[in-house]
Tab-separated table of all heavy atoms in Angstrom:
chain	number	residue	atom	x	y	z
A	1	GLU	N	0.883	-1.168	-0.024
A	1	GLU	CA	0.033	0.005	0.000
A	1	GLU	C	0.899	1.218	0.004
A	1	GLU	O	0.616	2.184	-0.766
A	1	GLU	CB	-0.878	0.003	1.215
A	1	GLU	CG	-2.056	-1.036	1.168
A	1	GLU	CD	-3.012	-0.784	0.040
A	1	GLU	OE1	-3.190	0.389	-0.383
A	1	GLU	OE2	-3.583	-1.738	-0.519
A	2	PHE	N	1.933	1.256	0.803
A	2	PHE	CA	2.845	2.402	0.796
A	2	PHE	C	3.669	2.475	-0.450
A	2	PHE	O	4.002	3.588	-0.939
A	2	PHE	CB	3.776	2.324	2.023
A	2	PHE	CG	3.074	2.568	3.302
A	2	PHE	CD1	2.898	1.502	4.229
A	2	PHE	CD2	2.523	3.767	3.706
A	2	PHE	CE1	2.241	1.708	5.446
A	2	PHE	CE2	1.895	4.047	4.873
A	2	PHE	CZ	1.761	2.942	5.764
A	3	VAL	N	3.963	1.296	-1.015
A	3	VAL	CA	4.727	1.323	-2.310
A	3	VAL	C	3.914	1.889	-3.449
A	3	VAL	O	4.440	2.475	-4.327
A	3	VAL	CB	5.128	-0.125	-2.649
A	3	VAL	CG1	5.859	-0.242	-3.985
A	3	VAL	CG2	6.070	-0.697	-1.493
A	4	LYS	N	2.586	1.848	-3.331
A	4	LYS	CA	1.777	2.495	-4.344
A	4	LYS	C	2.181	4.032	-4.408
A	4	LYS	O	2.439	4.478	-5.539
A	4	LYS	CB	0.238	2.435	-3.995
A	4	LYS	CG	-0.457	1.156	-4.261
A	4	LYS	CD	-1.868	1.294	-3.807
A	4	LYS	CE	-2.553	-0.071	-3.800
A	4	LYS	NZ	-3.976	0.054	-3.235
A	5	ILE	N	2.215	4.637	-3.300
A	5	ILE	CA	2.557	6.058	-3.233
A	5	ILE	C	4.023	6.192	-3.727
A	5	ILE	O	4.322	7.135	-4.537
A	5	ILE	CB	2.414	6.592	-1.899
A	5	ILE	CG1	0.933	6.567	-1.462
A	5	ILE	CG2	2.827	8.073	-1.813
A	5	ILE	CD1	0.607	7.015	-0.041
A	6	GLY	N	4.935	5.381	-3.205
A	6	GLY	CA	6.336	5.491	-3.630
A	6	GLY	C	6.495	5.362	-5.082
A	6	GLY	O	7.287	6.099	-5.672
A	7	LEU	N	5.835	4.425	-5.710
A	7	LEU	CA	6.026	4.242	-7.163
A	7	LEU	C	5.312	5.380	-7.918
A	7	LEU	O	5.851	5.788	-8.951
A	7	LEU	CB	5.428	2.873	-7.632
A	7	LEU	CG	5.542	2.574	-9.052
A	7	LEU	CD1	7.070	2.535	-9.449
A	7	LEU	CD2	4.963	1.208	-9.466
A	8	MET	N	4.179	5.816	-7.482
A	8	MET	CA	3.524	7.019	-8.207
A	8	MET	C	4.446	8.184	-8.199
A	8	MET	O	4.552	8.878	-9.154
A	8	MET	CB	2.174	7.247	-7.546
A	8	MET	CG	1.057	6.324	-8.002
A	8	MET	SD	-0.564	6.783	-7.332
A	8	MET	CE	-0.496	6.115	-5.655
A	9	ILE	N	5.082	8.443	-7.045
A	9	ILE	CA	5.986	9.626	-6.979
A	9	ILE	C	7.236	9.377	-7.855
A	9	ILE	O	7.554	10.260	-8.664
A	9	ILE	CB	6.459	9.815	-5.522
A	9	ILE	CG1	5.293	10.285	-4.671
A	9	ILE	CG2	7.600	10.859	-5.404
A	9	ILE	CD1	5.569	10.245	-3.152
A	10	SER	N	7.898	8.270	-7.705
A	10	SER	CA	9.140	8.014	-8.401
A	10	SER	C	8.879	7.863	-9.934
A	10	SER	O	9.675	8.305	-10.765
A	10	SER	CB	9.876	6.801	-7.820
A	10	SER	OG	9.061	5.635	-7.754
A	11	LEU	N	7.832	7.143	-10.280
A	11	LEU	CA	7.549	6.984	-11.757
A	11	LEU	C	7.117	8.267	-12.405
A	11	LEU	O	7.567	8.586	-13.487
A	11	LEU	CB	6.422	5.926	-11.920
A	11	LEU	CG	6.017	5.635	-13.410
A	11	LEU	CD1	7.133	5.127	-14.137
A	11	LEU	CD2	4.795	4.634	-13.409
A	12	ALA	N	6.359	9.065	-11.653
A	12	ALA	CA	6.013	10.454	-12.209
A	12	ALA	C	7.281	11.254	-12.475
A	12	ALA	O	7.359	11.957	-13.531
A	12	ALA	CB	5.068	11.156	-11.303
A	13	LYS	N	8.193	11.250	-11.543
A	13	LYS	CA	9.453	12.000	-11.756
A	13	LYS	C	10.253	11.384	-12.860
A	13	LYS	O	10.831	12.131	-13.676
A	13	LYS	CB	10.217	12.050	-10.394
A	13	LYS	CG	11.397	12.993	-10.491
A	13	LYS	CD	10.986	14.427	-10.726
A	13	LYS	CE	12.171	15.372	-10.731
A	13	LYS	NZ	11.746	16.804	-10.954
A	14	TYR	N	10.379	10.092	-12.882
A	14	TYR	CA	11.180	9.391	-13.936
A	14	TYR	C	10.592	9.684	-15.319
A	14	TYR	O	11.365	9.958	-16.284
A	14	TYR	CB	11.197	7.874	-13.683
A	14	TYR	CG	12.248	7.179	-14.392
A	14	TYR	CD1	13.578	7.257	-14.045
A	14	TYR	CD2	11.929	6.332	-15.437
A	14	TYR	CE1	14.554	6.612	-14.678
A	14	TYR	CE2	12.933	5.600	-16.111
A	14	TYR	CZ	14.256	5.753	-15.755
A	14	TYR	OH	15.273	5.031	-16.415
A	15	ILE	N	9.300	9.616	-15.483
A	15	ILE	CA	8.628	10.007	-16.735
A	15	ILE	C	8.958	11.437	-17.071
A	15	ILE	O	9.213	11.782	-18.259
A	15	ILE	CB	7.228	9.695	-16.793
A	15	ILE	CG1	6.925	8.166	-16.607
A	15	ILE	CG2	6.461	10.219	-18.000
A	15	ILE	CD1	5.416	7.843	-16.473
A	16	ASP	N	8.750	12.288	-16.075
A	16	ASP	CA	9.030	13.738	-16.279
A	16	ASP	C	10.416	14.011	-16.841
A	16	ASP	O	10.604	14.871	-17.700
A	16	ASP	CB	8.787	14.508	-14.938
A	16	ASP	CG	8.826	15.963	-15.180
A	16	ASP	OD1	8.318	16.502	-16.155
A	16	ASP	OD2	9.387	16.659	-14.197
A	17	ILE	N	11.448	13.323	-16.260
A	17	ILE	CA	12.772	13.521	-16.697
A	17	ILE	C	12.924	13.061	-18.140
A	17	ILE	O	13.736	13.712	-18.956
A	17	ILE	CB	13.722	12.706	-15.824
A	17	ILE	CG1	13.791	13.305	-14.385
A	17	ILE	CG2	15.111	12.653	-16.389
A	17	ILE	CD1	14.519	12.417	-13.377
A	18	HIS	N	12.254	12.100	-18.576
A	18	HIS	CA	12.399	11.513	-19.934
A	18	HIS	C	11.201	11.931	-20.877
A	18	HIS	O	10.961	11.239	-21.889
A	18	HIS	CB	12.495	9.999	-19.887
A	18	HIS	CG	13.656	9.446	-19.161
A	18	HIS	ND1	13.687	9.206	-17.735
A	18	HIS	CD2	14.960	9.181	-19.593
A	18	HIS	CE1	14.893	8.855	-17.423
A	18	HIS	NE2	15.667	8.746	-18.505
A	19	LYS	N	10.486	12.908	-20.445
A	19	LYS	CA	9.225	13.263	-21.215
A	19	LYS	C	9.411	13.578	-22.701
A	19	LYS	O	8.600	13.298	-23.514
A	19	LYS	CB	8.523	14.411	-20.538
A	19	LYS	CG	9.272	15.705	-20.359
A	19	LYS	CD	8.578	16.720	-19.664
A	19	LYS	CE	9.409	17.967	-19.436
A	19	LYS	NZ	8.821	18.979	-18.538
A	20	GLU	N	10.543	14.090	-22.994
A	20	GLU	CA	10.793	14.440	-24.492
A	20	GLU	C	11.085	13.250	-25.307
A	20	GLU	O	10.947	13.259	-26.550
A	20	GLU	CB	12.032	15.447	-24.544
A	20	GLU	CG	11.858	16.666	-23.760
A	20	GLU	CD	10.675	17.497	-24.245
A	20	GLU	OE1	10.267	17.412	-25.429
A	20	GLU	OE2	10.141	18.338	-23.420
A	21	ARG	N	11.421	12.089	-24.692
A	21	ARG	CA	11.801	10.859	-25.451
A	21	ARG	C	10.896	9.683	-25.068
A	21	ARG	O	11.321	8.545	-25.226
A	21	ARG	CB	13.233	10.601	-25.212
A	21	ARG	CG	14.189	11.660	-25.562
A	21	ARG	CD	15.671	11.267	-25.457
A	21	ARG	NE	15.970	10.773	-24.041
A	21	ARG	CZ	16.247	11.499	-23.035
A	21	ARG	NH1	16.232	12.847	-23.150
A	21	ARG	NH2	16.532	11.028	-21.886
A	22	VAL	N	9.763	9.970	-24.487
A	22	VAL	CA	8.914	8.918	-23.877
A	22	VAL	C	8.441	7.911	-24.938
A	22	VAL	O	8.203	6.717	-24.591
A	22	VAL	CB	7.720	9.480	-23.191
A	22	VAL	CG1	6.688	10.045	-24.166
A	22	VAL	CG2	7.099	8.514	-22.259
A	23	ASN	N	8.465	8.288	-26.238
A	23	ASN	CA	8.018	7.357	-27.243
A	23	ASN	C	9.180	6.717	-28.024
A	23	ASN	O	8.878	5.979	-29.008
A	23	ASN	CB	7.088	8.113	-28.241
A	23	ASN	CG	5.650	8.282	-27.652
A	23	ASN	OD1	5.026	7.190	-27.427
A	23	ASN	ND2	5.242	9.470	-27.543
A	24	GLU	N	10.398	6.959	-27.634
A	24	GLU	CA	11.540	6.248	-28.184
A	24	GLU	C	11.553	4.831	-27.495
A	24	GLU	O	11.459	4.785	-26.294
A	24	GLU	CB	12.824	6.967	-27.911
A	24	GLU	CG	12.926	8.266	-28.577
A	24	GLU	CD	14.214	9.056	-28.294
A	24	GLU	OE1	15.056	8.470	-27.623
A	24	GLU	OE2	14.317	10.251	-28.653
A	25	PRO	N	11.638	3.811	-28.329
A	25	PRO	CA	11.582	2.419	-27.827
A	25	PRO	C	12.495	2.147	-26.570
A	25	PRO	O	12.039	1.559	-25.613
A	25	PRO	CB	11.968	1.589	-29.024
A	25	PRO	CG	11.562	2.379	-30.166
A	25	PRO	CD	11.832	3.778	-29.844
A	26	PHE	N	13.757	2.582	-26.666
A	26	PHE	CA	14.690	2.275	-25.585
A	26	PHE	C	14.272	2.945	-24.328
A	26	PHE	O	14.322	2.463	-23.236
A	26	PHE	CB	16.094	2.680	-25.961
A	26	PHE	CG	17.120	2.406	-24.884
A	26	PHE	CD1	17.457	1.099	-24.558
A	26	PHE	CD2	17.665	3.434	-24.245
A	26	PHE	CE1	18.412	0.854	-23.571
A	26	PHE	CE2	18.596	3.205	-23.179
A	26	PHE	CZ	18.913	1.963	-22.875
A	27	THR	N	13.813	4.277	-24.465
A	27	THR	CA	13.420	5.022	-23.290
A	27	THR	C	12.164	4.432	-22.701
A	27	THR	O	12.042	4.343	-21.476
A	27	THR	CB	13.175	6.521	-23.716
A	27	THR	OG1	14.340	7.117	-24.209
A	27	THR	CG2	12.728	7.329	-22.484
A	28	LEU	N	11.268	4.086	-23.552
A	28	LEU	CA	10.000	3.415	-23.051
A	28	LEU	C	10.250	2.184	-22.312
A	28	LEU	O	9.621	1.935	-21.280
A	28	LEU	CB	9.053	3.265	-24.203
A	28	LEU	CG	7.633	2.749	-23.809
A	28	LEU	CD1	6.946	3.657	-22.832
A	28	LEU	CD2	6.757	2.566	-25.114
A	29	LEU	N	11.169	1.311	-22.791
A	29	LEU	CA	11.502	0.116	-22.144
A	29	LEU	C	12.177	0.447	-20.729
A	29	LEU	O	11.927	-0.334	-19.855
A	29	LEU	CB	12.556	-0.665	-23.043
A	29	LEU	CG	11.914	-1.418	-24.237
A	29	LEU	CD1	13.047	-2.026	-25.094
A	29	LEU	CD2	10.918	-2.463	-23.810
A	30	LYS	N	12.966	1.461	-20.681
A	30	LYS	CA	13.544	1.794	-19.381
A	30	LYS	C	12.497	2.166	-18.332
A	30	LYS	O	12.514	1.777	-17.249
A	30	LYS	CB	14.580	2.981	-19.560
A	30	LYS	CG	15.904	2.609	-20.130
A	30	LYS	CD	16.934	3.692	-19.863
A	30	LYS	CE	16.469	5.099	-20.359
A	30	LYS	NZ	17.518	6.083	-20.106
A	31	ILE	N	11.476	2.945	-18.901
A	31	ILE	CA	10.345	3.407	-18.000
A	31	ILE	C	9.591	2.157	-17.586
A	31	ILE	O	9.189	2.039	-16.394
A	31	ILE	CB	9.516	4.395	-18.726
A	31	ILE	CG1	10.244	5.698	-19.019
A	31	ILE	CG2	8.236	4.736	-17.930
A	31	ILE	CD1	9.558	6.660	-19.876
A	32	LEU	N	9.347	1.280	-18.501
A	32	LEU	CA	8.545	0.054	-18.140
A	32	LEU	C	9.299	-0.852	-17.183
A	32	LEU	O	8.677	-1.386	-16.178
A	32	LEU	CB	8.190	-0.719	-19.437
A	32	LEU	CG	7.202	-0.029	-20.386
A	32	LEU	CD1	7.079	-0.906	-21.589
A	32	LEU	CD2	5.870	0.052	-19.720
A	33	ALA	N	10.629	-0.930	-17.347
A	33	ALA	CA	11.365	-1.769	-16.414
A	33	ALA	C	11.336	-1.127	-14.977
A	33	ALA	O	11.222	-1.780	-13.945
A	33	ALA	CB	12.797	-1.859	-16.945
A	34	PHE	N	11.465	0.208	-14.990
A	34	PHE	CA	11.442	0.973	-13.691
A	34	PHE	C	10.122	0.773	-13.032
A	34	PHE	O	10.069	0.544	-11.870
A	34	PHE	CB	11.653	2.507	-14.061
A	34	PHE	CG	11.767	3.395	-12.888
A	34	PHE	CD1	12.982	3.631	-12.305
A	34	PHE	CD2	10.641	3.951	-12.312
A	34	PHE	CE1	13.114	4.477	-11.238
A	34	PHE	CE2	10.770	4.794	-11.259
A	34	PHE	CZ	11.939	5.058	-10.670
A	35	ALA	N	9.001	0.743	-13.811
A	35	ALA	CA	7.688	0.706	-13.287
A	35	ALA	C	7.341	-0.731	-12.793
A	35	ALA	O	6.620	-0.862	-11.800
A	35	ALA	CB	6.589	1.179	-14.274
A	36	PHE	N	7.746	-1.754	-13.606
A	36	PHE	CA	7.242	-3.103	-13.267
A	36	PHE	C	8.141	-3.939	-12.410
A	36	PHE	O	7.686	-5.042	-12.059
A	36	PHE	CB	7.080	-3.809	-14.664
A	36	PHE	CG	5.716	-3.451	-15.315
A	36	PHE	CD1	5.692	-2.367	-16.179
A	36	PHE	CD2	4.589	-4.083	-14.956
A	36	PHE	CE1	4.449	-2.029	-16.802
A	36	PHE	CE2	3.280	-3.781	-15.509
A	36	PHE	CZ	3.307	-2.701	-16.444
A	37	LEU	N	9.260	-3.464	-11.939
A	37	LEU	CA	10.035	-4.144	-10.931
A	37	LEU	C	9.242	-4.332	-9.690
A	37	LEU	O	9.126	-5.526	-9.177
A	37	LEU	CB	11.367	-3.409	-10.644
A	37	LEU	CG	12.168	-4.102	-9.501
A	37	LEU	CD1	12.548	-5.554	-9.793
A	37	LEU	CD2	13.513	-3.210	-9.297
A	38	PRO	N	8.596	-3.275	-9.133
A	38	PRO	CA	7.784	-3.468	-7.903
A	38	PRO	C	6.549	-4.422	-8.188
A	38	PRO	O	6.146	-5.244	-7.356
A	38	PRO	CB	7.265	-2.052	-7.560
A	38	PRO	CG	8.216	-1.176	-8.232
A	38	PRO	CD	8.713	-1.874	-9.431
A	39	VAL	N	6.008	-4.354	-9.402
A	39	VAL	CA	4.879	-5.190	-9.721
A	39	VAL	C	5.277	-6.712	-9.674
A	39	VAL	O	4.590	-7.536	-9.160
A	39	VAL	CB	4.277	-4.843	-11.110
A	39	VAL	CG1	3.195	-5.792	-11.488
A	39	VAL	CG2	3.794	-3.432	-11.135
A	40	PHE	N	6.472	-6.945	-10.249
A	40	PHE	CA	6.990	-8.353	-10.242
A	40	PHE	C	7.155	-8.854	-8.786
A	40	PHE	O	6.867	-9.995	-8.458
A	40	PHE	CB	8.311	-8.316	-10.963
A	40	PHE	CG	9.089	-9.693	-10.900
A	40	PHE	CD1	8.568	-10.840	-11.588
A	40	PHE	CD2	10.218	-9.914	-10.147
A	40	PHE	CE1	9.226	-12.023	-11.615
A	40	PHE	CE2	10.877	-11.087	-10.091
A	40	PHE	CZ	10.355	-12.164	-10.801
A	41	LEU	N	7.689	-7.989	-7.919
A	41	LEU	CA	7.921	-8.400	-6.502
A	41	LEU	C	6.570	-8.651	-5.794
A	41	LEU	O	6.484	-9.516	-4.994
A	41	LEU	CB	8.700	-7.265	-5.765
A	41	LEU	CG	10.129	-7.009	-6.230
A	41	LEU	CD1	10.803	-5.878	-5.523
A	41	LEU	CD2	10.986	-8.400	-6.061
A	42	ILE	N	5.562	-7.904	-6.154
A	42	ILE	CA	4.255	-8.074	-5.594
A	42	ILE	C	3.607	-9.393	-6.100
A	42	ILE	O	2.966	-10.150	-5.285
A	42	ILE	CB	3.260	-6.918	-5.917
A	42	ILE	CG1	3.772	-5.677	-5.129
A	42	ILE	CG2	1.885	-7.217	-5.596
A	42	ILE	CD1	3.131	-4.369	-5.591
A	43	LEU	N	3.836	-9.713	-7.348
A	43	LEU	CA	3.306	-11.016	-7.858
A	43	LEU	C	3.978	-12.237	-7.200
A	43	LEU	O	3.402	-13.303	-7.115
A	43	LEU	CB	3.548	-11.049	-9.361
A	43	LEU	CG	2.654	-10.184	-10.225
A	43	LEU	CD1	3.108	-10.121	-11.644
A	43	LEU	CD2	1.137	-10.649	-10.181
A	44	LEU	N	5.204	-12.021	-6.715
A	44	LEU	CA	5.850	-13.102	-5.995
A	44	LEU	C	5.299	-13.352	-4.639
A	44	LEU	O	5.529	-14.456	-4.024
A	44	LEU	CB	7.331	-12.778	-5.875
A	44	LEU	CG	8.178	-12.822	-7.197
A	44	LEU	CD1	9.653	-12.460	-6.962
A	44	LEU	CD2	8.092	-14.116	-7.914
A	45	GLN	N	4.480	-12.494	-4.087
A	45	GLN	CA	3.962	-12.680	-2.684
A	45	GLN	C	3.068	-13.895	-2.503
A	45	GLN	O	3.220	-14.464	-1.396
A	45	GLN	CB	3.303	-11.370	-2.194
A	45	GLN	CG	4.289	-10.193	-2.096
A	45	GLN	CD	3.591	-8.924	-1.725
A	45	GLN	OE1	2.443	-8.911	-1.337
A	45	GLN	NE2	4.363	-7.838	-1.706
A	46	PRO	N	2.127	-14.318	-3.266
A	46	PRO	CA	1.618	-13.657	-4.466
A	46	PRO	C	0.418	-12.810	-4.097
A	46	PRO	O	-0.422	-13.141	-3.240
A	46	PRO	CB	1.219	-14.851	-5.289
A	46	PRO	CG	0.727	-15.871	-4.376
A	46	PRO	CD	1.562	-15.676	-3.090
């Protein structure tokens, strides 16, 4: 539950930093990896 807030803050900033290149495949993959690491850990709980 706390990680929800943590990821919303950190992902919002990470996207903001890369906003000019968000549709470049490599940049988008970096953003997705950044976003889905916590999701993967939550699925392991499960």
Side-chain angles (χ1 to χ4, degrees):
E1 290 295 330
F2 291 110
V3 175
K4 281 180 191 174
I5 297 178
L7 183 58
M8 282 185 280
I9 293 169
S10 53
L11 180 59
K13 188 64 179 180
Y14 196 70
I15 294 174
D16 186 38
I17 292 170
H18 298 88
K19 60 187 175 185
E20 302 299 333
R21 304 183 305 277
V22 71
N23 282 299
E24 294 178 5
F26 180 69
T27 301
L28 184 57
L29 284 174
K30 286 198 304 182
I31 293 173
L32 290 175
F34 186 91
F36 279 92
L37 174 58
V39 177
F40 175 72
L41 295 176
I42 289 170
L43 286 171
L44 292 179
Q45 294 179 7

